[in-house]
Amino acid sequence: MRPAILVMDEPSSSLDPLARRKLIRLLRSFKHTKIIATHDLDMVLEVCGRTLVLCNGKLTADAAPLEVFNDNRILKSSHLKKPLMMQGCPVCLKNAP
C-alpha cells in the first residue's frame, strides 16, 4: 500500500518503550501527510512539524510543536503541561536543554 495520508488515533497508547520507539522511527520515515490524535506530547515533538491543539472543542493553537510547547499562555489555556523531555530532571532539578 502507498497511502498519501495516514490517520492515527493514539498510536502510542499501551505500547512498551521499545515498540513506541519503533513506531516513532516508522512515523518519521513516512514522508506524506500524517494526522495523529494523541496525548503523547513527547512523540509530537519527535514526529510532527505542525501541531493543532484542541481544547473543549475549540482550536487553541496551530504552530510548530516547539512554538506551541514554549508558549505558556497556550499551555495554560489548553490545560497542558510541557512534554516530559522539556520539563527537566525531577531528581537533580535541572532544566531541560
Side-chain angles (χ1 to χ4, degrees):
M1 295 185 340
R2 293 200 163 113
I5 299 174
L6 179 64
V7 179
M8 302 180 86
D9 182 18
E10 298 291 353
S12 61
S13 177
S14 300
L15 295 181
D16 62 69
L18 180 61
R20 182 181 171 276
R21 179 60 35 211
K22 287 179 180 179
L23 171 69
I24 288 170
R25 277 196 302 273
L26 181 64
L27 290 174
R28 290 180 74 167
S29 73
F30 188 78
K31 300 302 177 193
H32 301 293
T33 301
K34 296 177 284 288
I35 300 172
I36 304 170
T38 187
H39 289 89
D40 185 344
L41 302 183
D42 289 286
M43 183 183 72
V44 169
L45 277 175
E46 293 192 59
V47 173
C48 302
R50 179 179 174 196
T51 302
L52 302 173
V53 178
L54 299 173
C55 183
N56 297 321
K58 295 182 182 174
L59 182 66
T60 58
D62 178 356
L66 276 176
E67 188 177 332
V68 171
F69 299 139
N70 280 316
D71 188 324
N72 290 325
R73 182 189 56 80
I74 290 173
L75 294 175
K76 185 175 181 177
S77 69
S78 302
H79 308 289
L80 294 173
K81 294 282 187 188
K82 290 184 184 243
L84 291 174
M85 68 174 64
M86 293 178 68
Q87 290 184 19
C89 177
V91 176
C92 62
L93 303 175
K94 291 184 180 179
N95 291 331

